[in-house]
Each structure stands twice: as C-alpha cells, then as structure tokens.
Short mmCIF file of all heavy atoms in Angstrom, two decimals:
data_model
loop_
_atom_site.label_atom_id
_atom_site.label_comp_id
_atom_site.label_asym_id
_atom_site.label_seq_id
_atom_site.Cartn_x
_atom_site.Cartn_y
_atom_site.Cartn_z
N MET A 140 0.82 8.42 -16.46
CA MET A 140 -0.36 7.69 -16.07
C MET A 140 -0.57 7.88 -14.57
O MET A 140 0.36 7.81 -13.78
CB MET A 140 -0.19 6.21 -16.39
CG MET A 140 -1.30 5.40 -15.81
SD MET A 140 -1.38 3.60 -16.06
CE MET A 140 0.16 3.07 -16.61
N VAL A 141 -1.80 8.07 -14.17
CA VAL A 141 -2.17 8.19 -12.77
C VAL A 141 -2.80 6.87 -12.34
O VAL A 141 -3.69 6.36 -13.00
CB VAL A 141 -3.16 9.35 -12.54
CG1 VAL A 141 -3.61 9.39 -11.11
CG2 VAL A 141 -2.54 10.65 -12.96
N VAL A 142 -2.31 6.34 -11.23
CA VAL A 142 -2.82 5.08 -10.72
C VAL A 142 -3.34 5.30 -9.31
O VAL A 142 -2.66 5.89 -8.49
CB VAL A 142 -1.72 4.00 -10.70
CG1 VAL A 142 -2.23 2.72 -10.09
CG2 VAL A 142 -1.19 3.75 -12.10
N PHE A 143 -4.55 4.83 -9.04
CA PHE A 143 -5.11 4.90 -7.71
C PHE A 143 -5.14 3.49 -7.15
O PHE A 143 -5.62 2.58 -7.79
CB PHE A 143 -6.52 5.50 -7.74
CG PHE A 143 -6.55 6.91 -8.20
CD1 PHE A 143 -6.84 7.22 -9.51
CD2 PHE A 143 -6.24 7.94 -7.33
CE1 PHE A 143 -6.86 8.52 -9.96
CE2 PHE A 143 -6.25 9.25 -7.76
CZ PHE A 143 -6.56 9.55 -9.08
N SER A 144 -4.61 3.32 -5.97
CA SER A 144 -4.55 2.01 -5.35
C SER A 144 -5.15 2.09 -3.95
O SER A 144 -5.04 3.12 -3.28
CB SER A 144 -3.10 1.54 -5.26
OG SER A 144 -3.00 0.35 -4.50
N ASP A 145 -5.76 0.99 -3.52
CA ASP A 145 -6.26 0.93 -2.15
C ASP A 145 -5.13 1.15 -1.15
O ASP A 145 -5.38 1.61 -0.04
CB ASP A 145 -6.90 -0.43 -1.88
CG ASP A 145 -8.20 -0.65 -2.63
OD1 ASP A 145 -8.78 0.33 -3.12
OD2 ASP A 145 -8.62 -1.82 -2.73
N CYS A 146 -3.92 0.84 -1.54
CA CYS A 146 -2.77 0.98 -0.64
C CYS A 146 -2.66 2.40 -0.08
O CYS A 146 -2.35 2.58 1.09
CB CYS A 146 -1.47 0.63 -1.37
SG CYS A 146 -1.36 -1.10 -1.89
N ALA A 147 -2.93 3.38 -0.89
CA ALA A 147 -2.82 4.78 -0.44
C ALA A 147 -3.86 5.13 0.61
O ALA A 147 -3.71 6.14 1.30
CB ALA A 147 -2.93 5.70 -1.64
N GLU A 148 -4.90 4.31 0.76
CA GLU A 148 -5.94 4.55 1.75
C GLU A 148 -5.69 3.81 3.06
O GLU A 148 -6.50 3.86 3.97
CB GLU A 148 -7.30 4.13 1.19
CG GLU A 148 -7.73 4.92 -0.03
CD GLU A 148 -9.04 4.41 -0.60
OE1 GLU A 148 -9.83 3.80 0.15
OE2 GLU A 148 -9.26 4.60 -1.80
N CYS A 149 -4.56 3.10 3.14
CA CYS A 149 -4.24 2.28 4.31
C CYS A 149 -3.37 3.06 5.29
O CYS A 149 -2.46 3.79 4.88
CB CYS A 149 -3.51 1.02 3.86
SG CYS A 149 -3.06 -0.10 5.20
N LYS A 150 -3.61 2.88 6.58
CA LYS A 150 -2.81 3.60 7.56
C LYS A 150 -1.38 3.08 7.63
O LYS A 150 -0.51 3.71 8.20
CB LYS A 150 -3.47 3.57 8.94
CG LYS A 150 -3.39 2.27 9.68
CD LYS A 150 -4.01 2.42 11.05
CE LYS A 150 -3.74 1.22 11.92
NZ LYS A 150 -4.29 1.41 13.27
N ASN A 151 -1.11 1.93 7.03
CA ASN A 151 0.24 1.37 7.02
C ASN A 151 1.08 1.87 5.84
O ASN A 151 2.26 1.57 5.75
CB ASN A 151 0.18 -0.16 6.99
CG ASN A 151 -0.44 -0.72 8.25
OD1 ASN A 151 -0.04 -0.34 9.35
ND2 ASN A 151 -1.42 -1.58 8.10
N PHE A 152 0.48 2.63 4.93
CA PHE A 152 1.17 3.18 3.77
C PHE A 152 2.18 4.23 4.24
O PHE A 152 1.89 5.03 5.13
CB PHE A 152 0.16 3.82 2.82
CG PHE A 152 0.74 4.27 1.51
CD1 PHE A 152 1.08 3.37 0.52
CD2 PHE A 152 0.93 5.62 1.26
CE1 PHE A 152 1.59 3.79 -0.70
CE2 PHE A 152 1.44 6.06 0.05
CZ PHE A 152 1.78 5.14 -0.93
N ILE A 153 3.38 4.22 3.66
CA ILE A 153 4.43 5.16 4.02
C ILE A 153 4.65 6.11 2.85
O ILE A 153 5.05 5.69 1.77
CB ILE A 153 5.75 4.43 4.34
CG1 ILE A 153 5.54 3.48 5.52
CG2 ILE A 153 6.86 5.44 4.62
CD1 ILE A 153 6.69 2.51 5.74
N ASN A 154 4.37 7.38 3.07
CA ASN A 154 4.58 8.39 2.03
C ASN A 154 5.93 9.05 2.31
O ASN A 154 6.04 9.90 3.18
CB ASN A 154 3.46 9.42 2.06
CG ASN A 154 3.57 10.42 0.93
OD1 ASN A 154 4.51 10.38 0.14
ND2 ASN A 154 2.63 11.31 0.86
N ASP A 155 6.95 8.62 1.56
CA ASP A 155 8.29 9.16 1.80
C ASP A 155 8.71 10.17 0.73
O ASP A 155 9.88 10.48 0.60
CB ASP A 155 9.31 8.04 1.94
CG ASP A 155 9.55 7.26 0.66
OD1 ASP A 155 8.89 7.56 -0.36
OD2 ASP A 155 10.40 6.37 0.66
N GLU A 156 7.74 10.65 -0.03
CA GLU A 156 7.96 11.70 -1.04
C GLU A 156 8.73 11.21 -2.28
O GLU A 156 8.95 11.98 -3.20
CB GLU A 156 8.67 12.93 -0.44
CG GLU A 156 7.93 13.55 0.72
CD GLU A 156 6.55 14.06 0.36
OE1 GLU A 156 6.36 14.61 -0.74
OE2 GLU A 156 5.64 13.88 1.19
N ARG A 157 9.19 9.96 -2.30
CA ARG A 157 9.86 9.44 -3.49
C ARG A 157 8.80 8.96 -4.45
O ARG A 157 7.86 8.28 -4.06
CB ARG A 157 10.79 8.29 -3.13
CG ARG A 157 12.02 8.77 -2.38
CD ARG A 157 13.00 7.67 -2.17
NE ARG A 157 13.42 7.14 -3.47
CZ ARG A 157 14.11 6.03 -3.61
NH1 ARG A 157 14.44 5.31 -2.58
NH2 ARG A 157 14.45 5.61 -4.80
N ARG A 158 8.93 9.29 -5.69
CA ARG A 158 7.91 8.91 -6.67
C ARG A 158 8.20 7.57 -7.34
O ARG A 158 7.36 7.04 -8.04
CB ARG A 158 7.77 10.01 -7.72
CG ARG A 158 7.37 11.32 -7.10
CD ARG A 158 6.64 12.16 -8.11
NE ARG A 158 6.28 13.44 -7.55
CZ ARG A 158 5.12 13.69 -6.95
NH1 ARG A 158 4.25 12.76 -6.81
NH2 ARG A 158 4.86 14.89 -6.48
N ASP A 159 9.40 7.02 -7.13
CA ASP A 159 9.74 5.77 -7.81
C ASP A 159 9.44 4.52 -6.98
O ASP A 159 9.52 3.42 -7.48
CB ASP A 159 11.21 5.79 -8.23
CG ASP A 159 12.16 5.91 -7.06
OD1 ASP A 159 11.76 6.44 -6.01
OD2 ASP A 159 13.32 5.49 -7.20
N THR A 160 9.10 4.68 -5.69
CA THR A 160 8.85 3.54 -4.83
C THR A 160 7.71 3.85 -3.87
O THR A 160 7.69 4.91 -3.26
CB THR A 160 10.10 3.19 -3.99
OG1 THR A 160 11.20 2.97 -4.86
CG2 THR A 160 9.88 1.95 -3.16
N CYS A 161 6.79 2.92 -3.73
CA CYS A 161 5.73 3.02 -2.73
C CYS A 161 6.04 2.00 -1.67
O CYS A 161 6.35 0.85 -1.97
CB CYS A 161 4.37 2.75 -3.36
SG CYS A 161 3.89 3.98 -4.56
N LYS A 162 5.96 2.40 -0.41
CA LYS A 162 6.29 1.51 0.70
C LYS A 162 5.16 1.49 1.71
O LYS A 162 4.33 2.39 1.75
CB LYS A 162 7.55 2.00 1.41
CG LYS A 162 8.77 2.03 0.54
CD LYS A 162 9.96 2.57 1.31
CE LYS A 162 11.18 2.65 0.41
NZ LYS A 162 12.34 3.15 1.12
N CYS A 163 5.18 0.45 2.53
CA CYS A 163 4.25 0.35 3.64
C CYS A 163 4.88 -0.55 4.69
O CYS A 163 5.95 -1.11 4.48
CB CYS A 163 2.90 -0.19 3.18
SG CYS A 163 2.91 -1.91 2.69
N LYS A 164 4.22 -0.69 5.82
CA LYS A 164 4.74 -1.55 6.88
C LYS A 164 4.80 -3.00 6.45
O LYS A 164 5.68 -3.74 6.87
CB LYS A 164 3.91 -1.40 8.15
CG LYS A 164 4.06 -0.04 8.79
CD LYS A 164 3.21 0.07 10.04
CE LYS A 164 3.34 1.47 10.63
NZ LYS A 164 2.44 1.63 11.80
N ALA A 165 3.90 -3.42 5.57
CA ALA A 165 3.90 -4.80 5.07
C ALA A 165 5.02 -5.04 4.06
O ALA A 165 5.58 -6.12 3.98
CB ALA A 165 2.55 -5.13 4.43
N PHE A 166 5.36 -4.01 3.28
CA PHE A 166 6.41 -4.08 2.27
C PHE A 166 7.39 -2.92 2.49
O PHE A 166 7.39 -1.95 1.72
CB PHE A 166 5.82 -4.01 0.86
CG PHE A 166 4.91 -5.15 0.49
CD1 PHE A 166 3.54 -5.00 0.51
CD2 PHE A 166 5.45 -6.38 0.10
CE1 PHE A 166 2.70 -6.05 0.15
CE2 PHE A 166 4.62 -7.42 -0.25
CZ PHE A 166 3.24 -7.27 -0.22
N PRO A 167 8.23 -2.98 3.53
CA PRO A 167 9.11 -1.85 3.85
C PRO A 167 10.18 -1.55 2.79
O PRO A 167 10.68 -0.44 2.73
CB PRO A 167 9.75 -2.25 5.18
CG PRO A 167 9.61 -3.72 5.26
CD PRO A 167 8.37 -4.07 4.48
N GLU A 168 10.49 -2.52 1.95
CA GLU A 168 11.46 -2.30 0.89
C GLU A 168 10.81 -1.83 -0.41
O GLU A 168 11.48 -1.55 -1.39
CB GLU A 168 12.27 -3.58 0.63
CG GLU A 168 13.06 -4.05 1.84
CD GLU A 168 14.05 -3.02 2.33
OE1 GLU A 168 14.77 -2.42 1.50
OE2 GLU A 168 14.11 -2.80 3.56
N GLY A 169 9.50 -1.77 -0.42
CA GLY A 169 8.76 -1.33 -1.60
C GLY A 169 7.63 -2.28 -1.93
O GLY A 169 7.82 -3.50 -1.93
N ILE A 170 6.45 -1.74 -2.17
CA ILE A 170 5.31 -2.56 -2.55
C ILE A 170 5.55 -3.07 -3.97
O ILE A 170 5.82 -2.29 -4.88
CB ILE A 170 4.01 -1.73 -2.50
CG1 ILE A 170 3.79 -1.17 -1.09
CG2 ILE A 170 2.82 -2.59 -2.95
CD1 ILE A 170 2.68 -0.15 -1.00
N PRO A 171 5.47 -4.39 -4.17
CA PRO A 171 5.66 -4.92 -5.52
C PRO A 171 4.65 -4.30 -6.49
O PRO A 171 3.48 -4.16 -6.15
CB PRO A 171 5.40 -6.42 -5.37
CG PRO A 171 5.57 -6.70 -3.91
CD PRO A 171 5.17 -5.44 -3.20
N PRO A 172 5.12 -3.89 -7.68
CA PRO A 172 4.21 -3.24 -8.64
C PRO A 172 2.96 -4.04 -8.92
O PRO A 172 1.87 -3.48 -9.01
CB PRO A 172 5.07 -3.07 -9.90
CG PRO A 172 6.47 -3.09 -9.41
CD PRO A 172 6.48 -3.98 -8.20
N GLU A 173 3.08 -5.37 -9.05
CA GLU A 173 1.90 -6.18 -9.35
C GLU A 173 0.89 -6.14 -8.20
O GLU A 173 -0.30 -6.21 -8.41
CB GLU A 173 2.27 -7.62 -9.71
CG GLU A 173 2.95 -8.39 -8.61
CD GLU A 173 4.46 -8.20 -8.52
OE1 GLU A 173 5.04 -7.41 -9.27
OE2 GLU A 173 5.06 -8.87 -7.66
N TRP A 174 1.38 -6.01 -6.98
CA TRP A 174 0.48 -5.90 -5.83
C TRP A 174 -0.17 -4.52 -5.80
O TRP A 174 -1.37 -4.38 -5.59
CB TRP A 174 1.23 -6.15 -4.53
CG TRP A 174 0.35 -6.08 -3.33
CD1 TRP A 174 0.21 -5.03 -2.47
CD2 TRP A 174 -0.53 -7.07 -2.85
NE1 TRP A 174 -0.70 -5.30 -1.49
CE2 TRP A 174 -1.18 -6.58 -1.71
CE3 TRP A 174 -0.85 -8.36 -3.29
CZ2 TRP A 174 -2.13 -7.31 -1.01
CZ3 TRP A 174 -1.79 -9.08 -2.56
CH2 TRP A 174 -2.41 -8.55 -1.44
N PHE A 175 0.63 -3.49 -6.01
CA PHE A 175 0.13 -2.12 -5.97
C PHE A 175 -0.90 -1.87 -7.06
O PHE A 175 -1.91 -1.22 -6.84
CB PHE A 175 1.30 -1.14 -6.11
CG PHE A 175 0.92 0.29 -5.85
CD1 PHE A 175 0.77 0.76 -4.56
CD2 PHE A 175 0.71 1.17 -6.90
CE1 PHE A 175 0.42 2.08 -4.31
CE2 PHE A 175 0.36 2.50 -6.66
CZ PHE A 175 0.20 2.94 -5.36
N LEU A 176 -0.65 -2.42 -8.26
CA LEU A 176 -1.53 -2.16 -9.40
C LEU A 176 -2.73 -3.11 -9.48
O LEU A 176 -3.79 -2.71 -9.93
CB LEU A 176 -0.73 -2.24 -10.69
CG LEU A 176 0.39 -1.21 -10.83
CD1 LEU A 176 1.21 -1.49 -12.08
CD2 LEU A 176 -0.17 0.20 -10.86
N LYS A 177 -2.53 -4.37 -9.09
CA LYS A 177 -3.59 -5.35 -9.32
C LYS A 177 -4.08 -6.04 -8.06
O LYS A 177 -5.06 -6.77 -8.11
CB LYS A 177 -3.09 -6.42 -10.29
CG LYS A 177 -2.76 -5.86 -11.65
CD LYS A 177 -2.23 -6.93 -12.57
CE LYS A 177 -1.81 -6.30 -13.89
NZ LYS A 177 -1.09 -7.20 -14.73
N GLY A 178 -3.41 -5.82 -6.94
CA GLY A 178 -3.83 -6.46 -5.69
C GLY A 178 -5.11 -5.84 -5.17
O GLY A 178 -5.53 -4.76 -5.58
N ASN A 179 -5.75 -6.53 -4.27
CA ASN A 179 -6.97 -6.03 -3.63
C ASN A 179 -6.75 -6.01 -2.12
O ASN A 179 -7.31 -6.84 -1.41
CB ASN A 179 -8.17 -6.92 -3.98
CG ASN A 179 -8.53 -6.81 -5.44
OD1 ASN A 179 -8.59 -5.72 -5.98
ND2 ASN A 179 -8.76 -7.95 -6.07
N PRO A 180 -5.94 -5.09 -1.63
CA PRO A 180 -5.60 -5.11 -0.21
C PRO A 180 -6.81 -5.03 0.72
O PRO A 180 -6.78 -5.57 1.82
CB PRO A 180 -4.69 -3.91 -0.01
CG PRO A 180 -4.61 -3.20 -1.29
CD PRO A 180 -5.28 -4.02 -2.34
N LYS A 181 -7.88 -4.38 0.30
CA LYS A 181 -9.06 -4.28 1.15
C LYS A 181 -9.76 -5.63 1.30
O LYS A 181 -10.54 -5.82 2.22
CB LYS A 181 -10.06 -3.26 0.58
CG LYS A 181 -9.62 -1.83 0.73
CD LYS A 181 -10.69 -0.91 0.19
CE LYS A 181 -10.30 0.54 0.34
NZ LYS A 181 -11.33 1.44 -0.22
N GLU A 182 -9.50 -6.55 0.39
CA GLU A 182 -10.21 -7.82 0.37
C GLU A 182 -9.42 -9.01 0.91
O GLU A 182 -9.95 -10.10 1.00
CB GLU A 182 -10.67 -8.12 -1.05
CG GLU A 182 -11.63 -7.08 -1.58
CD GLU A 182 -12.01 -7.29 -3.03
OE1 GLU A 182 -11.71 -8.37 -3.59
OE2 GLU A 182 -12.61 -6.37 -3.61
N VAL A 183 -8.15 -8.80 1.28
CA VAL A 183 -7.35 -9.90 1.82
C VAL A 183 -7.07 -9.66 3.30
O VAL A 183 -7.06 -8.53 3.76
CB VAL A 183 -6.02 -10.08 1.05
CG1 VAL A 183 -6.26 -10.45 -0.39
CG2 VAL A 183 -5.15 -8.85 1.15
N LYS A 184 -6.87 -10.73 4.02
CA LYS A 184 -6.62 -10.61 5.47
C LYS A 184 -5.20 -10.11 5.74
O LYS A 184 -4.98 -9.36 6.68
CB LYS A 184 -6.84 -11.97 6.12
CG LYS A 184 -6.76 -11.94 7.61
CD LYS A 184 -7.15 -13.26 8.21
CE LYS A 184 -7.12 -13.15 9.72
NZ LYS A 184 -7.65 -14.34 10.35
N GLU A 185 -4.25 -10.54 4.92
CA GLU A 185 -2.85 -10.18 5.13
C GLU A 185 -2.20 -9.82 3.80
O GLU A 185 -2.32 -10.56 2.84
CB GLU A 185 -2.10 -11.35 5.76
CG GLU A 185 -0.64 -11.10 5.95
CD GLU A 185 0.11 -12.32 6.46
OE1 GLU A 185 -0.48 -13.14 7.18
OE2 GLU A 185 1.28 -12.47 6.11
N CYS A 186 -1.52 -8.69 3.78
CA CYS A 186 -0.78 -8.30 2.58
C CYS A 186 0.60 -8.96 2.58
O CYS A 186 1.00 -9.56 1.60
CB CYS A 186 -0.62 -6.78 2.52
SG CYS A 186 -2.19 -5.90 2.38
N ASN A 187 1.32 -8.83 3.71
CA ASN A 187 2.67 -9.38 3.84
C ASN A 187 3.12 -9.20 5.29
O ASN A 187 2.66 -8.29 5.97
CB ASN A 187 3.62 -8.65 2.88
CG ASN A 187 4.94 -9.36 2.69
OD1 ASN A 187 5.02 -10.57 2.66
ND2 ASN A 187 6.00 -8.59 2.56
N ASN A 188 4.01 -10.05 5.75
CA ASN A 188 4.60 -9.92 7.09
C ASN A 188 3.57 -9.82 8.21
O ASN A 188 3.79 -9.15 9.21
CB ASN A 188 5.54 -8.70 7.16
CG ASN A 188 6.73 -8.82 6.25
OD1 ASN A 188 7.25 -9.91 6.06
ND2 ASN A 188 7.17 -7.72 5.69
N GLY A 189 2.41 -10.46 8.04
CA GLY A 189 1.38 -10.43 9.07
C GLY A 189 0.61 -9.12 9.15
O GLY A 189 -0.17 -8.90 10.07
N ILE A 190 0.84 -8.23 8.21
CA ILE A 190 0.20 -6.92 8.19
C ILE A 190 -0.80 -6.87 7.06
O ILE A 190 -0.51 -7.28 5.94
CB ILE A 190 1.25 -5.80 8.03
CG1 ILE A 190 2.22 -5.85 9.21
CG2 ILE A 190 0.59 -4.43 7.92
CD1 ILE A 190 3.45 -4.98 9.03
N GLY A 191 -1.98 -6.34 7.34
CA GLY A 191 -3.03 -6.23 6.33
C GLY A 191 -3.55 -4.82 6.21
O GLY A 191 -3.11 -3.91 6.91
N PHE A 192 -4.51 -4.65 5.34
CA PHE A 192 -5.11 -3.34 5.10
C PHE A 192 -5.85 -2.86 6.34
O PHE A 192 -6.66 -3.58 6.92
CB PHE A 192 -6.09 -3.41 3.92
CG PHE A 192 -6.74 -2.09 3.62
CD1 PHE A 192 -6.12 -1.19 2.78
CD2 PHE A 192 -7.96 -1.76 4.17
CE1 PHE A 192 -6.71 0.04 2.50
CE2 PHE A 192 -8.57 -0.56 3.89
CZ PHE A 192 -7.94 0.35 3.06
N GLU A 193 -5.57 -1.63 6.73
CA GLU A 193 -6.30 -0.96 7.81
C GLU A 193 -6.61 0.45 7.30
O GLU A 193 -5.69 1.21 6.99
CB GLU A 193 -5.45 -0.87 9.06
CG GLU A 193 -5.09 -2.22 9.67
CD GLU A 193 -4.23 -2.07 10.91
OE1 GLU A 193 -4.70 -1.42 11.87
OE2 GLU A 193 -3.10 -2.58 10.90
N PRO A 194 -7.89 0.79 7.20
CA PRO A 194 -8.23 2.11 6.65
C PRO A 194 -7.70 3.24 7.51
O PRO A 194 -7.65 3.14 8.74
CB PRO A 194 -9.76 2.11 6.62
CG PRO A 194 -10.19 1.01 7.52
CD PRO A 194 -9.06 0.05 7.62
N LYS A 195 -7.27 4.31 6.84
CA LYS A 195 -6.87 5.52 7.56
C LYS A 195 -8.09 6.05 8.29
O LYS A 195 -9.21 5.90 7.82
CB LYS A 195 -6.37 6.58 6.58
CG LYS A 195 -5.05 6.27 5.96
CD LYS A 195 -4.64 7.41 5.04
CE LYS A 195 -3.34 7.10 4.35
NZ LYS A 195 -2.95 8.15 3.41
N GLU A 196 -7.87 6.67 9.40
CA GLU A 196 -8.99 7.17 10.18
C GLU A 196 -9.73 8.30 9.48
O GLU A 196 -10.90 8.50 9.72
CB GLU A 196 -8.51 7.61 11.56
CG GLU A 196 -8.04 6.43 12.38
CD GLU A 196 -7.74 6.78 13.80
OE1 GLU A 196 -8.22 7.81 14.30
OE2 GLU A 196 -7.01 6.00 14.43
N ASP A 197 -9.06 9.02 8.59
CA ASP A 197 -9.70 10.12 7.88
C ASP A 197 -10.33 9.68 6.56
O ASP A 197 -10.87 10.48 5.84
CB ASP A 197 -8.73 11.27 7.63
CG ASP A 197 -7.54 10.87 6.77
OD1 ASP A 197 -7.31 9.66 6.58
OD2 ASP A 197 -6.82 11.77 6.32
N SER A 198 -10.28 8.36 6.24
CA SER A 198 -10.87 7.85 4.98
C SER A 198 -12.32 7.50 5.17
O SER A 198 -12.76 7.03 6.14
CB SER A 198 -10.12 6.62 4.48
OG SER A 198 -8.83 6.97 4.10
#
C-alpha cells in the first residue's frame, strides 16, 4: 500500500532511508502511525515538542 502524508511535505521530516520508521524533528523516535496516517499536520499549530508543520521550500 502506498500512503501519502502531509508529513513528507514538511521541512522537519527526516528521510533516513529506513522504510519501517518515519521520523521528524517533532517525533525524533518515529512518527506515530496514527498521526502519520490520519493526522492533519498542515492544520494544527503544533505536532509535538513545540514543533509544527513547515512546508519545504521546494513544495
């Protein structure tokens, strides 16, 4: 299954080449699956740890 999440469009997203875990500055140990799949990071002020969605400059 292919899943597209707003998280991948955020400049805080960390692409570490591992396919089993998605990480970002807000969730350095791994973005919770329920957040990655069902969250609306573009619509909330803060995702976690005081960090929120910030669009990549090339998006």
Side-chain angles (χ1 to χ4, degrees):
M140 171 179 16
V141 176
V142 176
F143 296 97
S144 172
D145 291 343
C146 295
E148 298 176 25
C149 181
K150 75 176 190 177
N151 295 311
F152 187 75
I153 300 168
N154 185 358
D155 67 358
E156 303 299 321
R157 289 187 59 192
R158 300 206 182 268
D159 61 335
T160 304
C161 294
K162 298 178 182 181
C163 69
K164 291 180 183 176
F166 296 102
E168 299 300 315
I170 301 169
E173 63 275 4
W174 181 260
F175 190 78
L176 298 173
K177 297 178 185 170
N179 293 314
K181 287 182 179 178
E182 298 175 12
V183 297
K184 186 173 183 173
E185 177 185 330
C186 296
N187 194 36
N188 296 325
I190 299 169
F192 180 86
E193 296 179 59
K195 289 181 182 177
E196 293 188 21
D197 61 346
S198 293

